Amino acid sequence: MEISKVGIIGVGTMGLGIAQVCAQAGYPVVAVKATPGSWEKAKKSLENSLNRSVERGKMKPEERDAIVSRLVFSNDERAVADCQLVIESVIENIDTKKDLFKRLESICGPDTLLTTNTSTLSVTAMMAVCKYRERIAGLHFFNPAPVMKLVEIIHAFETSEDAISSLNSFCTKIGKDPVIVQDTTGFIVNRLLTPYMLNAIRMLERGTGTISSIDHAMKSGAGLPMGPFELADYIGLDVVEAMALNIFMDVRHEHHAPPHTLTRLVQLGYLGRKSGKGFYDYSQKPPVQNPSLQRPVV
Ligand code: 3HC
């Protein structure tokens, strides 16, 4: 299947990042806001990201303008009807995604590659509600999408080899470094990364170290760009908790259950960088430990 136009459903952090990557690689992109409200804010945010690249001398102004000209925003899912590839990046809720896949089947032709950027949900479960199942797959990008090279291509139960091969070539064309993974909860990266972050939180709860000493140790001793708490805050604590719960529901082992501290922070609306506070308080420069974590979490 020759891909000449890409549709993105969902213009949150990941959807926008993926739209940017595809437009940057020369593809016309239609980006659909999946929730009610104007897409203007999403468009502005993407343009700001491109402007920062221009300001830092990483991109010429004419390249930015060309990227912007390849992007069309819409509130109407039907705008993806003439795309050969659709990537959905809506809220991590299996019923929402299943309903979306059903609607996409009625909007797009039977050959359109319909893919999901889910972190930990079953691609096969989304495929199950579709009639033409061989073109359903996962296309899992990493945050920040314009920077991280990996895309996991998820081979669900009835995905065809042709679909996988088309997605593989597409990922290479957009400058990514794909890996093909069978459809298991968390795939490769999140299946390893989620328990790593949960273990760091349990280590904090046991008093092994502080937030900053554990982060420092993993950066300085294991060569990682971010420590586990910085990473959890960066991904979003609600997302980390949801990933943990999905893996836990699959394997039913307490090792994968979200620790109390994570649940409490999410309950309090401390979702990490995006809400201004998570394990760290980002209102301070440099960020300091969230003062609410000075008391033991029970
Ligand atoms: N959009 C575009 N470019 C960005 C960006 C963004 N949102 N954030 C950073 N960049 C670019 C910068 O422009 C810079 O580019 P340059 O080197 O060409 O100038 C480069 O990335 C480095 O950025 P900074 O110098 O500002 O900051 P750092 O050096 O601290 O790097 C980081 C930031 C790339 C986020 C780095 O800390 C990192 O790699 N962290 C780990 C991220 C990670 O593990 N992501 C995966 C999370 S798991 C996931 O996404 C799965 C999902 O299902 C939850």
Side-chain angles (χ1 to χ4, degrees), residues 14 20 49 52-53 56 58 117-120 140-148 189-190 193 197 225-226 231 234-235 239 243 273:
M14 290 309 293
Q20 179 180 330
S49 163
R52 278 195 299 275
S53 298
R56 282 205 304 271
K58 302 280 171 194
N117 180 52
T118 184
S119 306
T120 42
H140 183 220
F141 290 75
F142 293 83
N143 190 14
V147 179
M148 306 309 280
V189 175
N190 285 336
L193 214 47
M197 290 182 283
M226 286 177 171
L231 182 62
Y234 187 72
I235 293 173
V239 177
M243 293 197 299
R273 279 203 198 191

Side-chain angles (χ1 to χ4, degrees), residues 34 77 96 98-108:
E77 281 168 9
T96 307
K98 282 181 181 174
D99 288 345
L100 174 60
F101 268 86
K102 273 192 234 165
R103 291 197 301 277
L104 287 174
E105 274 221 313
S106 67
I107 293 168
C108 304

